[in-house]
């Protein structure tokens, strides 16, 4: 199990993956879902407003049902403007968690995941585009939260259990 799965199981966190929310919308077959599918297949970032809307719905529902649960957002924010809009429209982030690994390690893991995921974006060409997108759009988000003292970096070049232990330590869990 990945770190988010381990965290939600051990600590009862409410876990929302922007990617899972987006894929659910794609699976719905709606016009918005069809548009999202094309964007995701090209390795591009989905409209911030769509992602914020989906996250707000999920966070609001979780808070209404379990107001004391810690919420873990997976794969978000990916751009400075997303971070700002999320904090303005939903709530401030307590921490931003970053798992650091080389592009080679990331590519290897995504290609391994591709064997069972069925995801349209788990292929070498899209992975290359996503890595470029990370460097240009997401790395500045990490720097923003680092300056704000809210970034927790965890090395992801080790095994899952070590990554999980270091994540819990970094978050004070």
């Amino acid at each position: 199990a990945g770190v988010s799965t381990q965290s939600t199981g051990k600590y009862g966190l409410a876990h929302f993956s922007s990617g899972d929310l987006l894929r659910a919308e794609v699976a719905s077959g709606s016009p918005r879902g069809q548009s999202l599918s094309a964007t995701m297949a090209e390795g591009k970032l989905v409209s911030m407003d769509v992602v914020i809307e989906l996250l707000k719905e999920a966070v609001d529902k979780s808070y209404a049902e379990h107001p004391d649960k810690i919420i873990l957002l997976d794969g978000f924010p990916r751009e400075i403007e997303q971070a700002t809009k999320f904090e303005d429209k939903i709530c401030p982030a307590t921490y931003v968690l970053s798992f650091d690994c080389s592009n080679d390690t990331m590519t290897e893991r995504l290609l391994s995941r591709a064997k069972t995921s069925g995801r349209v974006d788990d292929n070498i060409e899209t992975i290359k585009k996503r890595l470029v997108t990370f460097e240009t759009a997401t790395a500045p988000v990490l720097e923003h939260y680092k300056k704000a003292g809210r970034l927790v970096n965890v090395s992801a070049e080790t095994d899952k259990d070590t990554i999980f232990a270091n994540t819990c330590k970094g978050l004070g869990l």
Side-chain angles (χ1 to χ4, degrees):
V3 170
S4 58
T5 303
Q6 290 175 309
S7 298
T8 55
K10 184 171 183 175
Y11 295 105
L13 307 180
H15 171 253
F16 301 108
S17 162
S18 58
D20 288 349
L21 294 171
L22 291 165
R23 283 184 290 280
E25 184 67 23
V26 167
S28 75
S30 70
R32 179 170 72 175
Q34 292 172 10
S35 175
L36 292 172
S37 180
T39 300
M40 291 164 66
E42 293 176 13
K44 295 181 180 175
L45 294 175
V46 170
S47 157
M48 172 180 46
D49 291 331
V50 171
V51 175
I52 294 286
E53 181 179 307
L54 293 170
L55 284 169
K56 182 164 180 24
E57 291 169 8
V59 168
D60 286 350
K61 181 179 179 190
S62 176
Y63 184 75
E65 294 172 1
H66 306 283
D68 296 332
K69 271 196 173 185
I70 295 172
I71 295 173
L72 174 65
L73 299 182
D74 186 346
F76 189 86
R78 294 189 182 192
E79 297 177 308
I80 290 287
E81 192 177 357
Q82 286 179 340
T84 302
K85 198 164 204 175
F86 178 86
E87 292 197 355
D88 288 346
K89 292 191 172 238
I90 302 174
C91 66
T94 305
Y95 297 107
V96 170
L97 180 59
S98 175
F99 295 106
D100 298 328
C101 66
S102 68
N103 287 351
D104 288 342
T105 297
M106 181 61 66
T107 300
E108 178 183 319
R109 289 180 181 168
L110 292 172
L111 289 174
S112 178
R113 179 178 75 178
K115 296 173 186 171
T116 58
S117 72
R119 290 177 49 163
V120 297
D121 57 347
D122 279 347
N123 63 73
I124 192 67
E125 292 307 314
T126 302
I127 290 168
K128 287 178 183 178
K129 291 176 186 176
R130 288 168 64 195
L131 291 170
V132 169
T133 299
F134 175 83
E135 290 300 324
T136 58
T138 307
V141 173
L142 301 180
E143 186 60 30
H144 168 78
Y145 282 104
K146 181 179 180 180
K147 288 179 182 175
R150 295 189 278 162
L151 179 66
V152 176
N153 277 312
V154 176
S155 171
E157 293 286 352
T158 62
D159 63 277
K160 289 180 185 178
D161 291 336
T162 302
I163 296 168
F164 180 64
N166 290 338
T167 299
C168 294
K169 182 179 177 185
L171 296 175
L173 298 175

